[in-house]
Amino acid sequence: MLILNTINHIRVAEFFRLDEFQCPCCKQVMLHSLLLQKLKGLRYIIRKPVIITSGYRCLSYNQQVGGVKSSYHLLGMAADIHVPEFPLADLLKIAGEIGFKGIGFYPEQNFLHLDVRPTRQTHWQG
């Protein structure tokens, strides 16, 4: 008998489940409430599904994917997102207007890194 781990399969907002933010290797999850609040705002504005491609990362997984040592993913304060059939440049503009503090623009891979760091707003392109 196969038993699936569904402990994180709970809805944390109208359009998001906790397991969307969990670490793929250990299934642990941390999710900062401000990150969720801003992602909800983004979802309401664009009216399209926001796909979380990377949420919380444990230290081991962060190292495995080449994440920086001070990654906000380690604190549950960052998410990499993709929105099918929505221009990435438009998504970037809206994310800035919503007030995400860290915004990484990755046009080659078609995703944005969004975080709620406590410091001034920072943008970069990867």
Side-chain angles (χ1 to χ4, degrees):
M1 173 184 247
L2 177 64
I3 298 175
L4 299 175
N5 182 355
T6 59
I7 193 165
N8 290 337
H9 193 74
I10 60 171
R11 193 155 298 285
V12 291
E14 184 177 358
F15 298 107
F16 296 103
R17 290 184 329 271
L18 190 60
D19 60 359
E20 294 178 85
F21 297 90
Q22 73 187 9
C23 180
C25 78
C26 65
K27 308 303 182 211
Q28 292 181 8
V29 65
M30 270 195 268
L31 176 57
H32 195 281
S33 60
L34 185 57
L35 177 65
L36 181 59
Q37 176 187 345
K38 290 193 178 298
L39 287 171
K40 283 174 23 182
L42 180 67
R43 173 62 175 83
Y44 283 122
I45 290 169
I46 65 173
R47 298 175 183 239
K48 291 196 175 274
V50 174
I51 310 300
I52 309 298
T53 59
S54 184
Y56 171 72
R57 297 178 189 160
C58 69
L59 185 58
S60 174
Y61 186 70
N62 191 59
Q63 291 170 341
Q64 180 183 337
V65 298
V68 297
K69 289 182 182 181
S70 59
S71 173
Y72 284 96
H73 286 278
L74 296 166
L75 303 172
M77 297 173 71
D80 296 342
I81 67 160
H82 168 71
V83 178
E85 300 178 20
F86 197 90
L88 196 60
D90 292 348
L91 195 59
L92 173 71
K93 182 177 183 260
I94 295 166
E97 291 169 355
I98 287 174
F100 283 98
K101 296 286 184 128
I103 303 175
F105 181 63
Y106 295 85
E108 294 294 316
Q109 297 90 357
N110 197 27
F111 79 91
L112 289 183
H113 164 96
L114 302 174
D115 69 54
V116 292
R117 65 185 65 202
T119 57
R120 65 180 174 78
Q121 197 170 51
T122 304
H123 291 195
W124 65 91
Q125 185 168 338

